[in-house]
């Protein structure tokens, strides 16, 4: 599984900002903010510089890894996509902007929007010595402000639509699609509720002419049935400080997420998506795949040496040749 760690310049900026910070105080603040989010809350409890920094130190590594993994999947399917402009919706500490900058060297213009004053201030401070230094960060409600934002080649909304009600989510989906000159990427927590929100947005925008680039290899209805749901997992390592903030002993964290990348151009390659970690034994590799034809449970026998060798390398979330499921 590929690793997606925070960029060195972002790490350095966060270290600089956290000099003299009480880890105990930061852990309390991060815990209270996380508890609010788990209860369906918003970023409203993040009111001060210390709140914003505690949130970034505790959560930014995981959200960054999920966004970076989603962007990696998008780039795999669209290697010809070279966006020049980015719009980061509900940007918070600009996590998605950092991930996009690492993924696409072609990006030259960065714009962001969020209503949270403390998170905006942290974002603007941490980008000062990076290629995001010229980022235009608008402090405004995403619905009220997005209508006035310019279109961009790539629009990203990460961990934001969960903060809105159904009517506002639909309005935001429409506005983001209008602002996406080429591609829209939306990432949500990998829960049944997050999956449901992504499905609703996906269905709505396909009806407006969008095409799914990833993770789905098709524009059809999702073939999964409850209680199953589509989500992925990205593992990231925890530093000593990160473990202290999270109150954890394990040196790694698995961030569960769900995403959809939508484009104005249809996907032209035949791929399938690995929907769970494959099982491996001496006889075969077994995997659950989402294909253009729907859900497929495949078994790649060991006697097919080349196919078996390739299947042994499959990871949860990988795009694999669609012909293996035929």
């Amino acid at each position: 599984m590929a690793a997606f760690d925070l960029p060195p310049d972002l790490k350095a900026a966060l270290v600089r900002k956290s000099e003299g910070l009480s880890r105990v105080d930061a852990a309390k603040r991060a815990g209270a903010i996380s508890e609010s989010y788990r209860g369906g809350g918003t970023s409203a409890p993040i009111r001060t510089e210390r709140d914003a920094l505690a949130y970034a130190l505790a959560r930014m590594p995981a959200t960054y890894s999920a966004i970076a993994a989603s962007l990696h999947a998008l780039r795999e399917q669209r290697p010809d996509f070279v966006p020049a402009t980015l719009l980061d919706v509900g940007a918070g500490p600009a996590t998605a902007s950092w991930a996009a900058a690492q993924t696409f060297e072609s990006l030259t213009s960065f714009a962001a929007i969020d209503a949270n004053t403390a998170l905006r201030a942290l974002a603007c401070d941490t980008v000062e010595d990076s290629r995001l230094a010229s980022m235009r960060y608008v402090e405004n409600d995403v619905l009220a402000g997005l209508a006035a934002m310019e279109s961009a080649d790539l629009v990203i909304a990460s961990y934001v639509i969960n903060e809105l009600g159904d009517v506002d989510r639909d309005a935001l989906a429409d506005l983001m699609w209008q602002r996406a000159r080429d591609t829209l990427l939306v990432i949500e927590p990998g829960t049944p509720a997050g999956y449901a929100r992504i499905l609703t947005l996906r269905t709505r925008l396909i009806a407006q002419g969008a095409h799914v680039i990833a993770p789905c290899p098709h524009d059809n209805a999702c073939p999964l049935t409850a209680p199953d749901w589509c989500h992925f997992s990205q593992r990231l390592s925890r530093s000593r400080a990160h473990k202290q903030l999270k109150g954890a002993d394990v040196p790694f964290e698995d961030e569960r997420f769900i995403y959809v990348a939508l484009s104005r151009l249809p996907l032209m390659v035949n791929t399938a998506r690995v929907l769970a970690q494959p099982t491996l034994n001496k006889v075969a590799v077994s995997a659950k795949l989402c294909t253009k034809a729907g859900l497929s449970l495949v078994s790649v026998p060991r006697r097919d040496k080349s196919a078996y060798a390739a299947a042994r390398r499959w990871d949860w979330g990988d795009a694999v040749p669609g012909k293996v499921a035929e």
Side-chain angles (χ1 to χ4, degrees), residues 185-213:
L185 174 65
V186 182
I187 306 105
E188 282 288 291
T191 62
Y195 163 67
R197 289 190 290 268
I198 288 289
L199 271 191
T200 299
L201 177 141
R202 177 186 185 276
T203 301
R204 183 178 185 87
L205 296 186
I206 287 174
Q208 297 180 34
H211 299 281
V212 181
I213 300 302

Side-chain angles (χ1 to χ4, degrees), residues 150-204:
E150 294 183 0
S151 297
D153 299 330
L154 174 61
V155 177
I156 304 178
S158 59
Y159 296 82
V160 63
I161 63 173
N162 60 300
E163 297 191 21
L164 304 175
D166 291 344
V167 174
D168 285 345
R169 282 186 204 128
D170 288 346
L172 181 61
D174 293 347
L175 278 170
M176 291 192 299
W177 184 238
Q178 290 169 19
R179 292 292 169 266
R181 199 174 291 128
D182 188 296
T183 299
L184 168 65
L185 174 65
V186 182
I187 306 105
E188 282 288 291
T191 62
Y195 163 67
R197 289 190 290 268
I198 288 289
L199 271 191
T200 299
L201 177 141
R202 177 186 185 276
T203 301
R204 183 178 185 87

Side-chain angles (χ1 to χ4, degrees), residues 6-17 53 56 60 64 86 88 91-102 108-113 118-138:
L6 296 181
D9 42 359
L10 174 56
K11 283 184 180 179
L14 290 174
V15 167
R16 173 177 54 81
K17 291 287 293 181
L53 184 57
M60 212 171 181
Y64 178 90
L86 171 73
D88 188 350
T95 313
S97 296
W98 280 99
Q102 291 296 111
T108 57
S109 174
F110 300 86
I113 182 170
L119 290 174
R120 179 187 177 277
L122 177 64
C124 292
D125 193 15
T126 55
V127 302
E128 280 185 351
D129 298 320
S130 75
R131 58 181 288 222
L132 286 83
S134 62
M135 178 176 65
R136 177 187 174 225
Y137 198 133
V138 175

Side-chain angles (χ1 to χ4, degrees), residues 25-93:
D25 178 66
K28 287 181 179 178
R29 291 173 187 270
I33 293 165
S34 294
E35 189 65 28
S36 173
Y37 272 118
R38 282 193 291 270
T42 68
S43 64
I46 305 174
R47 301 184 182 92
T48 68
E49 180 182 4
R50 288 187 178 183
D51 291 336
L53 184 57
Y55 170 78
L57 291 171
R59 280 294 296 156
M60 212 171 181
T63 53
Y64 178 90
S65 69
I67 298 165
S70 303
L71 285 164
H72 176 74
L74 164 60
R75 189 172 188 178
E76 273 191 324
Q77 301 300 91
R78 286 279 309 279
D80 59 331
F81 181 44
V82 284
T85 54
L86 171 73
L87 174 55
D88 188 350
V89 179

